[in-house]
Amino acid sequence: MSVRAETPAVTAVRSSVLTVLLTTAMALSMLPLFLLGALGPRLVGEFGIATGQLGLLVAAGFGVAAVLSPVVGPMVAALGARRCLIGMFALSALALALFAAAPGYGGLVAAIAVSGLGQALANPATNQLIANRVPAAVRGAVAGWKQSGVQFGAFLAGLPLAAIAGAVSWRAAVATAAAIAALAVAAALTVVKDRQPPRLPPLVVARPHGDAGWMCGYSVLLGTGISAINTYIALYAAKQLGLSAGAASALVAVLGVAGVAGRVGWTRWSSRLPTPAILLGPLAFGAAVAALGVLAGTWWSGWVWLGALGIGCCAVSANAVSMMTVIATAAPEHVGRDSAVVSAGFFAGFVIGPPVFGALVDASDGRYGPAWTLVSGAFLAAAAVAWWWRARTARRTKSDA
C-alpha cells in the first residue's frame, strides 16, 4: 500500500512544531540555573545560605551534566533523538517539582542535581533532531531559534516567574515552571516517531574529534564566565548596587532578551560564512568588555544594564554559534556525539565559575571587583583560544595549497 506524501502545508506545520519544541527544550534545560539567579536574594534570605553556597548549588547540577554529557551523547543515536527529547522534558519537570518542594538547602542540591541529566540530554538530542529532520537550507535559522530557547528561559525566570514570586511566593513560581515542563512532555509525543527501534546504548564515552576538541576548551572558558554572571548578577545588583529585588531579577530578563536576539541573529549569519567558528573570537572579546561594564555599575548603575545587554549579545550568543559549528562540521551520524563533547566543556565551566566567583566575593569582604575581573579574564582567554584556532587553520590551509 502506498504512503501519501505530506503536503507542503503539513510539512511546514511539522517543522514549526518541531522548532517550538526544540526551543522549549533548551529553555527548560537551563531554567533551574536562571531561577537560582533570579530568585537568589529570596533563597539566600529564606534558607540563610552564604553567597558561596549559591555558587556550589549551581555547580551541583552542572557537575552532573559535565560528567554525563560524554556518556549521553552516544546514547542519543542508540535510543533515538525523539525518545531522548521526551525523557529530557520529564526530567526537567521532576527537577523543577523537587525545587519547588525543597524543605532546605539539601533539597535544592538534590533538585539541581536531577536537572543535570536533563541538561546533559538537551544539546545532543536537539542537535541530532536538527541534523536528521531539518533541511540543510534552514538549519541555521532553526538552530538559532533552538539555542535562543536558553535565553527564553532567562527571560521566563527574570520577569514572569519573578513576578509570580513577588506576588505569591518563589515556590509558586517554580511550581508553575514544573507544570510547563509537564505539558511539554505531552507536546513532545506529537513529534514523528524515531525511524529505528531503540537498541542497547553503547557503554562508551564520547571523545573529541576534529573541531569538537578545541571548541570543548573554548566552551569551558565561556561557561565559566556565563555561569558566574547568570548566578550572581541579580545578587550583585541587589546587595552592592542597591537595586530592588524586582529590578535585580529584571537584569536576568535583560540577559535573556539580548541573548534571544543575539543567538538568532548571529547563528543565521554564521550559516552563511565559510565556517561559523569565525565569529567565536570576536564574540568572546565583546563579552570580556561587557563584563567590565557590569563592574562599572558601582560608579553608575546604568552600566550594569548595558553590560547585561552586551553579555547577552556576545557571550550567550557565542555558545549558539559553537553549536552551529558542530552541526555544520560534524558528520551527520556524529552530531550528537560531538555536541555532547562541546556541551561537556560548557557544563564544566558552569561547575568552575559560580563557586570560584562566590569564593572571591567572600574573600573580598563582599566586594565584587576581583570576581568580575576574573569573568572578564575567562572571556578573554576564550577569545585567545578561538583566534589560535583560526591562525592554526590558516597555516594548515596555506601549507596544503
Side-chain angles (χ1 to χ4, degrees):
M1 182 175 67
S2 62
V3 179
R4 292 179 59 187
E6 288 185 349
T7 65
V10 171
T11 301
V13 169
R14 285 192 182 277
S15 179
S16 298
V17 170
L18 180 61
T19 301
V20 170
L21 281 171
L22 298 180
T23 304
T24 303
M26 298 306 297
L28 291 173
S29 72
M30 296 287 281
L31 188 56
L33 165 71
F34 293 123
L35 284 170
L36 286 175
L39 302 176
R42 293 180 171 90
L43 296 175
V44 168
E46 178 167 334
F47 294 119
I49 59 179
T51 301
Q53 286 181 291
L54 191 64
L56 291 173
L57 190 56
V58 175
F62 288 102
V64 172
V67 170
L68 292 182
S69 285
V71 179
V72 166
M75 289 175 57
V76 171
L79 296 176
R82 173 187 180 266
R83 298 183 188 95
C84 290
L85 180 70
I86 294 169
M88 179 258 138
F89 281 134
L91 286 166
S92 294
L94 175 61
L96 288 163
L98 291 172
F99 191 154
Y105 183 75
L108 291 176
V109 172
I112 298 303
V114 170
S115 76
L117 181 54
Q119 291 156 11
L121 275 169
N123 270 313
T126 55
N127 285 354
Q128 193 69 63
L129 282 167
I130 291 174
N132 291 349
R133 306 194 184 194
V134 177
V138 294
R139 282 177 191 164
V142 174
W145 280 111
K146 188 267 288 190
Q147 289 299 132
S148 73
V150 174
Q151 300 318 118
F152 278 117
F155 176 80
L156 185 64
L159 207 59
L161 291 180
I164 293 173
V168 186
S169 70
W170 69 263
R171 294 184 187 274
V174 181
T176 300
I180 293 171
L183 290 173
V185 174
L189 295 172
T190 66
V191 175
V192 175
K193 293 182 178 180
D194 296 307
R195 295 177 182 175
Q196 301 296 329
R199 62 183 189 272
L200 188 65
L203 296 178
V204 297
V205 176
R207 296 180 181 179
H209 288 77
D211 288 338
W214 75 264
M215 279 193 295
C216 179
Y218 174 91
S219 295
V220 170
L221 296 163
L222 191 71
T224 296
I226 292 176
S227 60
I229 291 162
N230 287 339
T231 305
Y232 284 109
I233 192 168
L235 196 61
Y236 162 72
K239 282 195 169 184
Q240 187 148 354
L241 305 186
L243 272 64
S244 67
S249 295
L251 275 170
V252 180
V254 168
L255 277 171
V257 172
V260 169
R263 287 187 168 207
V264 173
W266 288 119
T267 306
R268 282 187 173 180
W269 186 24
S270 74
S271 66
R272 296 193 290 268
L273 297 173
T275 173
I278 291 173
L279 294 175
L280 293 178
L283 288 175
F285 181 79
V289 175
L292 294 178
V294 173
L295 174 59
T298 54
W299 290 282
W300 176 55
S301 62
W303 281 115
V304 74
W305 297 94
L306 294 174
L309 281 171
I311 289 164
C313 288
C314 295
V316 171
S317 302
N319 179 243
V321 174
S322 68
M323 285 299 158
M324 186 60 202
T325 303
V326 172
I327 295 171
T329 60
E333 66 273 17
H334 292 153
V335 168
R337 180 199 67 189
D338 288 359
S339 297
V341 169
V342 177
S343 294
F346 193 60
F347 293 145
F350 273 65
V351 174
I352 297 167
V356 173
F357 188 102
L360 280 173
V361 173
D362 288 340
S364 304
D365 297 324
R367 291 181 291 108
Y368 283 76
W372 287 124
T373 302
L374 173 71
V375 169
S376 182
F379 289 142
L380 277 176
V385 169
W387 283 324
W388 164 83
W389 168 83
R390 285 193 63 186
R392 182 171 177 267
T393 302
R395 287 195 301 268
R396 184 189 303 165
T397 302
K398 186 176 180 180
S399 64
D400 291 342

